[in-house]
């Protein structure tokens, strides 16, 4: 994957895997002769995120995009593969001190602003927690001053720090969540569907705030979403995930104007748009298969209108294309798929 | 700072909890009764009419006196006297003191043990959870009284007689606590498993906070609501269990009688007509347990969002 200037990317993920054991309890397995079941939530994912970039992962529910986010911030341990942050392999970090140094530089914004703030804590204590945990500032007065500054950054008043989370609306809570994430002066923010629980009008406010903060603090974002309009608005690069694997990675404009992978095309077709009223759409056929028992070959073949025999037998690997896109599709590789060029304004 | 306390107090009076408290006359009555008991029991050594622990002032010629309102009663012994000439009102006040102290200590012990094990079990999960919960299942399959009797019996067998008399209160607290911690552990475990999956706990994990700190600072304050309810009802159960054990003669020594001991002593004379020696402490116990239970029921309903 081409990185800007050939420098070390801030985050590089290679062959990342996470399997979950979803077997029945031992006794049931023995009595009912059930086999062990593994759910391959993430099954070999590669990507790199350059400094200052916004990298988005889109996909339907259950495609493993949130699992990728959780693996990166260390909420889950990978089953396989590597995560390198700023050139440092996360798996090599053994001591708490080494881990803390990396963790200070990466923070996470969560999906549900009603669950991500401890209801028993005052807002100032919630925001100050990373500062206290990493011992960034000494003295209570200095910490409170910093909390006030953070609240101003996200468009709240320093006096709001005295309140409890239930006194705020969803959008305001998400601002508090962002302030907490910024408290340790991170360089990298993992945002797991940060706007999907908010009203549409508030979504735009939060997205614009995130863009402003990115400019101001030179932040790098990993943005997880299922909302293509949001992704188009905020990303530099987009990865489309399907059943634990990446189907296509491309710069945002390329992905939205020349989608290669049949799955990407299908997703883009779902965006409602007045200009495309007359256009023949490929309906979203079928549902995401069960990741416990994924289809053979390319996992998308049961839903793909272009599926051939090879797709049913052989798993496609990502292939780099001339304009910087990476596509895992036999049809694209063989050049047997029709071109699909769309006007960009369709999504904005 | 003073202003903040005034503010907190005003908010407490404004709260839904206080509103539902005022709306229920039975709860207010129960609260008053419980307060009277706490007051009478807490200050018993100073406000009780007689010091029944002092053997020197006991006069056997005052024994078996009926309550003051009966023909042969004496005004100085309002509720009569027992077989050793002890004032029944005073023994009840001092007995309630012993009962409540044992009850509170047992509840505290059970709650600390149960909440800790429940938190660890729910948060850590896996083998640790399975181990703790199997122990809890075993405890639960024995009646509480049986466990308490067993522990008391073992203590009697192991400890020398005079040492056992001195520590018998602690043995009682330990055995009652050990037979009731399972409830706390199970409830806290369930709530912890719910809270653990919430994103604020994950936010703390992303920061890299030590699991013990996450449990203590984040999860614990959010699981204490149900514990308060169980503890209130648990107090009534602990007082009853203590009374039962003392009635069976394995509780506190007769020199420092609790309500249960008083009922047992009085029981010996019930059929010879000295009914007050057992009926009065019995009624005192019933009213106390009933009031605490009413409070617990109210608290359970008031804190349950589904019933609002």
């Amino acid at each position: 994957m081409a990185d800007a200037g050939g420098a070390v990317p801030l985050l590089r993920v290679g062959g990342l895997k996470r399997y979950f054991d979803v077997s029945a309890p031992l006794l049931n397995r023995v009595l009912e002769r059930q086999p062990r079941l593994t759910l391959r939530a993430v099954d070999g994912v590669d990507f790199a995120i350059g400094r200052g970039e916004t990298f988005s992962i889109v996909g339907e529910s259950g495609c493993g995009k949130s699992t990728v986010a959780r693996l990166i911030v260390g909420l889950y341990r990978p089953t396989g593969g590597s995560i390198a942050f700023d050139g440092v392999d996360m798996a090599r970090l053994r001591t708490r001190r080494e881990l803390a140094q990396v963790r200070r530089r990466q923070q996470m914004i969560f999906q549900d602003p009603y669950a991500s703030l401890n209801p028993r804590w005052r807002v100032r204590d919630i925001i100050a927690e990373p500062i206290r945990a990493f011992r960034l500032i000494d003295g209570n007065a200095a910490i409170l001053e910093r909390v006030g500054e953070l609240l101003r950054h996200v468009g709240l008043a320093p006096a709001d720090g005295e309140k409890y989370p239930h006194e705020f609306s969803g959008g305001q809570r998400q601002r508090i969540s962002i302030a907490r994430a910024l408290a340790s002066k991170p360089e990298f923010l993992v945002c797991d569907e940060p706007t999907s629980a908010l009203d549409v009008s508030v979504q735009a406010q939060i997205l614009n705030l995130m863009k402003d903060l990115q400019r101001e603090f030179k932040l790098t974002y990993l943005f997880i979403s299922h909302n293509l309009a949001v992704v188009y608005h905020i990303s530099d690069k987009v990865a489309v995930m399907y059943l634990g694997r990446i189907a296509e990675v491309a710069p945002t404009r390329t992905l939205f104007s020349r989608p290669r992978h049949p799955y990407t095309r299908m997703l883009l077709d779902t965006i409602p748009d007045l200009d495309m009223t007359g256009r023949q759409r490929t309906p979203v056929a079928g549902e995401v298969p069960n990741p416990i028992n994924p289809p053979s070959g390319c996992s998308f073949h049961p839903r793909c209108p272009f599926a051939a025999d090879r797709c049913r037998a052989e798993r496609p690997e990502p292939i780099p294309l001339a304009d910087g896109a990476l596509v895992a599709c036999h049809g694209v590789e063989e050049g047997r798929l029709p071109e699909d060029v769309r006007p960009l304004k369709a999504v904005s | 700072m003073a202003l903040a306390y005034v503010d907190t107090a005003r908010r407490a009076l404004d709260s839904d909890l206080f509103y539902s408290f005022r709306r229920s006359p039975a709860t207010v009555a129960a609260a008053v009764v419980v307060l009277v008991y706490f007051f009478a029991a807490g200050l018993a050594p100073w406000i009780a009419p007689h010091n029944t622990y002092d053997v020197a002032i006991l006069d056997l010629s005052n024994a078996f006196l009926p309550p003051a309102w009966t023909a042969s009663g004496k005004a100085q012994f309002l509720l009569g006297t027992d077989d050793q000439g002890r004032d029944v009102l005073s023994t009840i006040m001092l007995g309630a003191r012993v009962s409540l102290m044992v009850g509170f200590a047992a509840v505290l012990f059970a709650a600390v043990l149960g909440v800790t094990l429940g938190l660890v079990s729910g948060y850590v999960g896996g083998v640790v959870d399975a181990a703790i919960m199997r122990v809890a299942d075993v405890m639960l399959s024995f009646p509480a009284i049986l466990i308490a009797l067993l522990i008391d019996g073992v203590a009697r067998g192991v400890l020398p007689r005079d040492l056992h008399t001195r520590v018998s209160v602690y043995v009682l607290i330990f055995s009652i606590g050990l037979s009731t911690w399972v409830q706390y552990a199970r409830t806290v475990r369930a709530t912890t498993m719910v809270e653990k999956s919430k994103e604020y706990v994950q936010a703390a994990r992303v920061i890299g906070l030590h699991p013990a700190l996450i449990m203590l600072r984040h999860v614990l304050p959010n699981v204490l609501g149900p514990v308060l309810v169980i503890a209130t009802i648990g107090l009534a159960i602990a007082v009853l269990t203590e009374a039962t054990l003392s009635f069976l003669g394995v509780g506190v020594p007769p020199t420092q009688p609790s309500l249960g001991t008083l009922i047992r002593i009085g029981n010996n004379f019930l059929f010879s007509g000295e009914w007050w020696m057992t009926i009065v402490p019995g009624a005192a116990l019933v009213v106390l347990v009933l009031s605490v239970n009413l409070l617990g029921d109210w608290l359970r309903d008031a804190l349950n969002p589904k019933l609002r």
Side-chain angles (χ1 to χ4, degrees), chain A residues 140-195:
Chain A
N140 227 6
I143 290 176
L144 284 184
E145 190 165 332
R146 167 85 176 127
V147 169
E149 189 186 310
L150 284 161
L151 280 167
R152 266 197 301 274
H153 277 311
V154 297
L156 295 170
D160 288 335
E162 294 301 312
K163 298 182 187 165
Y164 285 92
H166 70 259
E167 299 174 55
F168 294 92
S169 70
Q172 287 171 322
R173 282 164 175 243
Q174 205 57 303
R175 286 171 190 269
I176 295 166
S177 208
I178 294 172
R180 169 178 61 190
L182 292 176
S184 63
K185 295 190 176 168
E187 298 148 53
F188 181 59
L189 283 189
V190 175
C191 317
D192 186 8
E193 311 222 20
T195 59

Side-chain angles (χ1 to χ4, degrees), chain A residues 59-332:
Chain A
E60 287 164 287
S61 307
C63 72
K65 51 191 194 302
S66 284
T67 310
V68 170
R70 271 141 212 268
L71 283 165
I72 287 167
V73 293
L75 285 174
Y76 293 146
R77 289 201 163 282
T79 308
S82 66
I83 302 167
F85 183 76
D86 202 8
V88 181
D89 187 354
M90 296 290 284
R92 292 257 179 81
L93 302 178
R94 287 276 171 251
T95 65
R96 291 191 74 80
R97 176 187 290 253
E98 284 174 332
L99 264 174
Q101 275 172 353
V102 177
R103 279 191 170 140
R104 184 197 66 73
R105 296 168 61 193
Q106 39 173 271
Q107 284 295 314
M108 184 157 179
I109 301 171
F110 293 89
Q111 176 176 4
D112 183 358
Y114 293 90
S116 61
L117 307 173
N118 189 335
R120 309 256 166 191
W121 283 30
R122 281 182 201 276
V123 167
R124 60 167 146 83
D125 294 321
I126 292 174
I127 297 177
E129 193 181 19
I131 303 175
R132 296 198 170 112
F134 295 117
R135 300 180 204 286
L136 299 176
I137 302 175
D138 282 329
N140 227 6
I143 290 176
L144 284 184
E145 190 165 332
R146 167 85 176 127
V147 169
E149 189 186 310
L150 284 161
L151 280 167
R152 266 197 301 274
H153 277 311
V154 297
L156 295 170
D160 288 335
E162 294 301 312
K163 298 182 187 165
Y164 285 92
H166 70 259
E167 299 174 55
F168 294 92
S169 70
Q172 287 171 322
R173 282 164 175 243
Q174 205 57 303
R175 286 171 190 269
I176 295 166
S177 208
I178 294 172
R180 169 178 61 190
L182 292 176
S184 63
K185 295 190 176 168
E187 298 148 53
F188 181 59
L189 283 189
V190 175
C191 317
D192 186 8
E193 311 222 20
T195 59
S196 60
L198 304 174
D199 288 348
V200 179
S201 57
V202 182
Q203 284 190 7
Q205 288 174 17
I206 296 294
L207 288 176
N208 288 334
L209 171 70
M210 287 177 64
K211 276 191 151 183
D212 292 344
L213 292 171
Q214 181 170 39
R215 259 195 303 278
E216 200 174 338
F217 299 113
K218 302 192 169 46
L219 297 169
T220 307
Y221 288 143
L222 170 64
F223 197 91
I224 311 287
S225 183
H226 60 256
N227 186 333
L228 290 162
V230 166
V231 164
Y232 181 76
H233 183 71
I234 199 161
S235 330
D236 298 312
K237 232 178 192 181
V238 181
V240 179
M241 266 188 88
Y242 187 75
L243 227 61
R245 292 175 63 83
I246 289 183
E248 177 169 4
V249 190
T252 309
R253 298 176 69 84
T254 315
L255 188 104
F256 280 85
S257 61
R258 285 189 68 196
R260 266 33 175 275
H261 198 285
Y263 180 59
T264 316
R265 297 178 190 195
M266 198 168 95
L267 279 185
L268 293 187
D269 278 341
T270 62
I271 302 171
D273 178 35
L274 286 176
D275 288 356
M276 300 208 303
T277 321
R279 188 191 158 102
Q280 188 61 46
R281 289 164 187 257
T282 330
V284 178
E287 281 183 29
V288 186
N290 189 346
I292 294 171
N293 189 12
S296 61
C298 172
S299 50
F300 187 59
H301 83 251
R303 297 169 78 185
C304 182
F306 308 107
D309 281 345
R310 188 184 170 200
C311 302
R312 282 181 268 274
E314 187 186 329
R315 196 153 94 162
E317 292 303 320
I319 297 150
L321 302 179
D323 54 1
L326 252 136
V327 184
C329 175
H330 295 312
V332 172

